[in-house]
Amino acid sequence: MSSDYEYSDNELYDEDEDEMMADEDDESASDMELDGFNDVPVKSKLKSYEVEHISLSQPQVEKLMKTDVDHISGIFGVDAEIASLLLRHFNWNKEKLIEKYMDNAAVVTTAAGITVPEKESSGSSSHRSSSSPSQSQTKILERITPPPAPNEPFVCPICCDDAPTATFNLICEHKFCTNCWNAYIESKIRTEAEHWITCMADGCSVVCPDSFIRTALKDDTSTWNRYQELLVRQFVSCNRNLKYCPYPSCTYTVSCPSGASKSALTTIIPIVTCGASASHKFCFGCNIDADHRPCICAVAKMWLQKCQDDSETANWIKSNTKECGKCQSTIEKNGGCNHMTCKKCKYEFCWVCMGPWSEHGTAWYSCNRYDEKASVDARDAQSQSRASLERYLHYYNRWANHEQSAKLSVEQHAKTERKMEEMQITSQLTWIEVQFMKKAVDEVFKCRMTLKWTYAMAYYLEKGNEKELFEDNQRDLERAVEELSELIESPIDPETISVLRQKVTDKAVYVQKRNEIVLEDTANGFQDGRWKWNVPVEGFD
Amino acid sequence: MAAVSTRRLQKELADIKNHGTPTGITLLKADDFETWYLTLEVLGESLYKGEVFALKFRFEPGYPISSPAVQFVVDDKFRAPLHPHVYSNGHICASILGTEWSPVLSVISVCITLQSMLASCKDKKRPPDNDRYVAHAPENPKKTQFVYHDDEV
Ligand SMILES: [Zn+2]
Ligand SMILES: [Zn+2]
Ligand SMILES: [Zn+2]
Ligand SMILES: [Zn+2]
């Protein structure tokens, strides 16, 4: 298996403990393919900015778990339930579990809460690492929890019910009523999202096996299902080749071995999509739950941190109102397009740089490029810090604006859509014919996200020819997006709609092409090591 | 049938009435089964000699499956003890009140744990993140996900 070799190669750069997982994961991955799990059609040819990955449903991951459980169960000669607890206790590190178990099975099963420590009498609380369980506490506890005398009726020490219909206990023999077990297990799963549930007695580390949890939950299948999901989540979090989809209530997992090694993150941006929805895009390499291409993880993280640190300074930019550069009247932005016209004096300007729009429309468009000249002139510390703030604001302004414009264009589209629906009734247009707008809005949204991240990247790119070429591509995309944005906000009427449709469709195709160019060129640049940074970036020399 | 929390608290209250409280701990107010107040003193030689603190317990209907919300009272009469796990707003960073909570623990056993936490203190100071925490802390300490400063409490 060739992938085995490649993986261990990457492994050398990684100092993480769980290196034993590597071989195992590859094994699982190959099992997966043999079983015909690969339900996502393999794209014949990936673009340079795309990364290979497989989406797995919860049952598919459960099958991977079962393979490990059966393996351990076979080697140790224990029930599948015990094997599962042992694996979970060892964070699914099979090699480590086998090694420790072969060395001393009794110690391992006690530490995992599967067997009761021998010397200890039940009821003591010496497991707790707390300094607190002093003698007096034990006494108090005894008062609330009297040792059950042989002939006295059982009183549940938790709810104080003196005639519970039934009781349960684990091997530690700490007995509680079934209602309390039910409430406890439900609360652990529901409110604490806990997959490792121990006995209710103070300091007792005996764990509840799955069959016990199933019984205690009675017919609460939704909590049981949630528990199954928590088990899958734990398995996924222990396996570096897997990542759980971060979208709310999604239960898909993505496998992306090429995005799993840290060293790869200087050359690729492992943006993946889960099988539940094409909109479930996230980064396999970092915690950003969105597509941050063309920016690599380390730079994207640095930028977000900077924005967070400087949020107060830059807050004013996010506001929806600005003053007209000519007549000073307040102007509110309510669409995604950045071509603004003052209602009062008819001054046309660019919302981003506040400069006259006449300079933007045609060949000359440099709203995206920061003029470094000003900062060179700065001599004293004060003007230097002002220059560096101005430089940051230049990039932040554009970053925030693309985000805001993307949102506004979606809102704007909702209005347009209503109008289109009305038009469908009053004119000959079919539903299919009015869909071009939706497609264009989606394209604008996607490209504004790309543009947004190009500003994060440009902020950290070192000055020079490469950066200029990058900014040329950025400018071309930006101009195309602004033009499309303006088109989709133009007034709609049945007379001109077919002309508009042609224009919008053509422009959307062009925009898509420009977006491809930005993404491909940046991705190739990472492969070739073409990008140089003006600050130290993790993983780069 | 009364809620489980009511029946359980009735039992705890009866235990306190019949057997009294451990030394250094007194029941200040327990008029209902939602909020109780107790006072706490550290006996013998300790950094808190002569100081009296008050604890406020708040119970949800899920008590004792869910832990009580416990904090030191801070008002014109009481102060929060100066301790590395106690914030100046009275919130306590102790695992027994969070992840280490067990439904067999009780109001009195929590008091005893906090008493011994104070008794074993060697350095009277606030948690290092006190100002930041207090500035943003929720009113109910149970809403905070504490990262326990060490394993001892
Ligand atoms: Zn009970
Ligand atoms: Zn137990
Ligand atoms: Zn998903
Ligand atoms: Zn990333």
Side-chain angles (χ1 to χ4, degrees):
Chain A
M1 201 166 62
S2 66
S3 56
D4 237 333
Y5 180 67
E6 279 167 30
Y7 198 90
S8 28
D9 231 1
N10 286 338
E11 210 50 41
L12 294 175
Y13 298 93
D14 246 315
E15 303 277 334
D16 286 355
E17 271 179 63
D18 45 348
E19 46 193 49
M20 305 301 278
M21 300 284 295
D23 291 333
E24 187 194 339
D25 294 344
D26 272 352
E27 229 170 81
S28 323
S30 65
D31 287 345
M32 236 151 55
E33 279 153 36
L34 287 176
D35 291 350
F37 263 156
N38 198 343
D39 64 345
V40 176
V42 181
K43 280 172 201 152
S44 49
K45 197 170 153 251
L46 287 170
K47 303 223 168 73
S48 61
Y49 56 87
E50 290 172 330
V51 58
E52 202 169 328
H53 60 280
I54 303 170
S55 171
L56 300 167
S57 68
Q58 187 169 323
Q60 288 172 333
V61 179
E62 277 165 352
K63 199 158 177 203
L64 296 179
M65 294 163 73
K66 193 173 175 299
T67 310
D68 281 357
V69 168
D70 289 346
H71 183 200
I72 289 299
S73 167
I75 300 179
F76 297 173
V78 295
D79 286 353
E81 188 166 75
I82 302 293
S84 160
L85 288 172
L86 286 168
L87 278 162
R88 283 152 57 192
H89 180 69
F90 277 85
N91 289 327
W92 296 89
N93 187 333
K94 231 169 15 176
E95 278 68 23
K96 200 170 162 197
L97 166 61
I98 294 170
E99 186 198 317
K100 298 279 178 195
Y101 193 87
M102 293 307 186
D103 186 38
N104 192 335
V107 166
V108 168
T109 51
T110 304
I114 295 165
T115 47
V116 189
E118 267 180 36
K119 275 175 234 156
E120 241 169 318
S121 58
S122 60
S124 95
S125 56
S126 64
H127 276 278
R128 179 187 294 280
S129 50
S130 152
S131 59
S132 55
S134 52
Q135 281 211 311
S136 47
Q137 183 182 356
T138 320
K139 261 186 226 147
I140 295 290
L141 285 176
E142 275 166 13
R143 232 163 52 200
I144 294 165
T145 320
N151 295 324
E152 258 177 67
F154 173 79
V155 178
C156 174
I158 289 166
C159 65
C160 308
D161 188 345
D162 53 9
T165 48
T167 62
F168 285 150
N169 59 266
L170 293 163
I171 45 160
C172 53
E173 290 176 356
H174 295 128
K175 204 192 277 183
F176 306 101
C177 83
T178 51
N179 287 339
C180 283
W181 275 114
N182 177 275
Y184 170 74
I185 289 173
E186 196 207 297
S187 134
K188 282 280 168 194
I189 295 169
R190 290 269 164 206
T191 46
E192 290 175 43
E194 184 59 68
H195 62 84
W196 189 261
I197 302 172
T198 56
C199 171
M200 285 195 277
D202 180 31
C204 179
S205 52
V206 170
V207 67
C208 303
D210 288 2
S211 56
F212 183 88
I213 290 173
R214 188 84 181 96
T215 313
L217 285 174
K218 296 174 199 161
D219 34 56
D220 182 356
T221 44
S222 93
T223 305
W224 172 252
N225 291 341
R226 171 77 176 135
Y227 176 67
Q228 297 300 305
E229 187 194 315
L230 293 173
L231 295 183
V232 169
R233 278 176 182 271
Q234 191 230 355
F235 174 78
V236 168
S237 74
C238 293
N239 188 324
R240 66 170 62 203
N241 286 344
L242 301 177
K243 209 167 167 180
Y244 209 78
C245 175
Y247 284 77
S249 72
C250 186
T251 58
Y252 273 75
T253 296
V254 168
S255 164
C256 177
S258 57
S261 94
K262 262 193 178 170
S263 59
L265 296 180
T266 54
T267 51
I268 61 162
I269 305 153
I271 302 301
V272 297
T273 313
C274 93
S277 159
S279 67
H280 288 195
K281 270 196 168 77
F282 59 97
C283 181
F284 201 89
C286 70
N287 291 328
I288 300 174
D289 296 345
D291 184 350
H292 62 71
R293 285 175 298 196
C295 218
I296 50 157
C297 297
V299 171
K301 256 188 286 182
M302 236 169 21
W303 172 254
L304 289 181
Q305 188 59 51
K306 174 149 189 70
C307 293
Q308 203 184 333
D309 295 346
D310 295 355
S311 63
E312 266 154 50
T313 342
N315 246 351
W316 62 273
I317 289 164
K318 281 196 189 146
S319 84
N320 262 350
T321 55
K322 282 181 187 174
E323 272 176 14
C324 168
K326 235 179 180 172
C327 72
Q328 269 75 45
S329 61
T330 304
I331 293 165
E332 192 185 350
K333 191 169 182 340
N334 54 13
C337 174
N338 289 318
H339 178 182
M340 305 300 289
T341 306
C342 175
K343 272 199 182 116
K344 218 171 151 192
C345 71
K346 306 286 177 233
Y347 173 58
E348 289 180 60
F349 63 99
C350 165
W351 178 262
V352 179
C353 68
M354 300 305 278
W357 187 257
S358 54
E359 293 175 358
H360 287 70
T362 53
W364 193 79
Y365 185 92
S366 69
C367 175
N368 67 324
R369 200 164 280 162
Y370 178 68
D371 181 12
E372 305 264 0
K373 252 191 187 160
S375 59
V376 176
D377 295 340
R379 271 150 222 259
D380 58 301
Q382 204 192 348
S383 51
Q384 226 156 53
S385 95
R386 196 174 53 229
S388 98
L389 177 66
E390 255 169 40
R391 180 175 182 277
Y392 164 66
L393 286 179
H394 168 89
Y395 292 97
Y396 180 79
N397 199 346
R398 283 146 186 83
W399 150 276
N401 183 66
H402 279 299
E403 177 157 285
Q404 185 197 38
S405 297
K407 277 186 198 142
L408 289 174
S409 60
V410 171
E411 282 168 28
Q412 170 79 25
H413 177 65
K415 285 181 218 151
T416 316
E417 209 158 38
R418 267 200 304 277
K419 207 172 160 194
M420 294 262 212
E421 276 164 23
E422 286 163 25
M423 270 170 49
Q424 251 180 280
I425 302 164
T426 56
S427 74
Q428 304 290 319
L429 290 166
T430 64
W431 183 81
I432 301 283
E433 282 173 308
V434 296
Q435 283 310 294
F436 72 94
M437 268 309 194
K438 174 87 185 86
K439 280 190 195 140
V441 171
D442 289 345
E443 197 59 44
V444 165
F445 190 90
K446 202 172 99 191
C447 294
R448 286 210 189 269
M449 291 302 132
T450 306
L451 282 168
K452 189 178 105 166
W453 287 103
T454 58
Y455 281 106
M457 177 146 167
Y459 180 76
Y460 293 110
L461 271 181
E462 196 167 82
K463 241 168 47 178
N465 287 343
E466 299 299 345
K467 184 176 184 178
E468 278 188 24
L469 289 172
F470 177 82
E471 285 178 326
D472 286 347
N473 285 332
Q474 179 190 43
R475 177 201 58 209
D476 291 346
L477 174 61
E478 192 164 61
R479 193 197 299 165
V481 167
E482 292 302 347
E483 281 165 3
L484 181 58
S485 231
E486 195 161 3
L487 270 181
I488 59 182
E489 281 174 28
S490 48
I492 296 170
D493 65 88
E495 314 289 289
T496 55
I497 192 154
S498 61
V499 178
L500 180 64
R501 190 166 129 213
Q502 196 55 51
K503 271 194 195 164
V504 168
T505 311
D506 289 350
K507 191 58 86 180
V509 169
Y510 178 69
V511 161
Q512 195 180 4
K513 212 176 87 195
R514 297 296 344 167
N515 192 41
E516 289 276 301
I517 290 170
V518 169
L519 292 176
E520 292 225 337
D521 182 64
T522 334
N524 292 336
F526 283 120
Q527 294 290 340
D528 311 341
R530 207 197 311 148
W531 308 119
K532 302 274 177 272
W533 311 104
N534 55 24
V535 287
V537 174
E538 207 185 325
F540 288 79
D541 303 326
Chain B
M1 198 186 82
V4 170
S5 64
T6 307
R7 188 169 60 205
R8 163 67 180 261
L9 287 165
Q10 265 166 347
K11 175 82 164 39
E12 287 191 41
L13 199 58
D15 275 337
I16 292 170
K17 296 244 162 84
N18 296 334
H19 304 272
T21 47
T23 29
I25 296 163
T26 56
L27 188 65
L28 205 60
K29 189 167 177 269
D31 298 341
D32 54 35
F33 298 115
E34 276 162 30
T35 314
W36 288 11
Y37 292 91
L38 291 99
T39 60
L40 190 69
E41 258 178 288
V42 185
L43 303 156
E45 283 310 312
S46 89
L47 298 174
Y48 303 93
K49 204 171 175 177
E51 293 182 67
V52 182
F53 307 105
L55 283 165
K56 178 185 180 183
F57 283 74
R58 277 180 285 176
F59 311 100
E60 296 163 9
Y63 177 80
I65 299 293
S66 66
S67 61
V70 185
Q71 66 194 96
F72 281 102
V73 174
V74 178
D75 60 13
D76 37 300
K77 205 165 155 209
F78 294 103
R79 285 277 159 274
L82 202 55
H83 185 281
H85 294 176
V86 181
Y87 293 93
S88 54
N89 63 354
H91 288 194
I92 307 157
C93 171
S95 58
I96 189 187
L97 299 173
T99 55
E100 294 283 313
W101 169 257
S102 152
V104 302
L105 295 173
S106 63
V107 171
I108 295 299
S109 58
V110 168
C111 290
I112 292 167
T113 303
L114 295 176
Q115 198 179 34
S116 78
M117 177 185 93
L118 295 184
S120 61
C121 178
K122 304 218 163 53
D123 191 4
K124 275 178 95 166
K125 59 171 191 227
R126 286 279 172 236
D129 57 337
N130 186 67
D131 294 349
R132 194 156 30 96
Y133 175 74
V134 172
H136 301 106
E139 186 273 331
N140 188 328
K142 276 196 79 177
K143 298 241 158 58
T144 302
Q145 294 272 336
F146 284 110
V147 176
Y148 303 109
H149 293 112
D150 57 48
D151 292 329
E152 276 172 36
V153 183

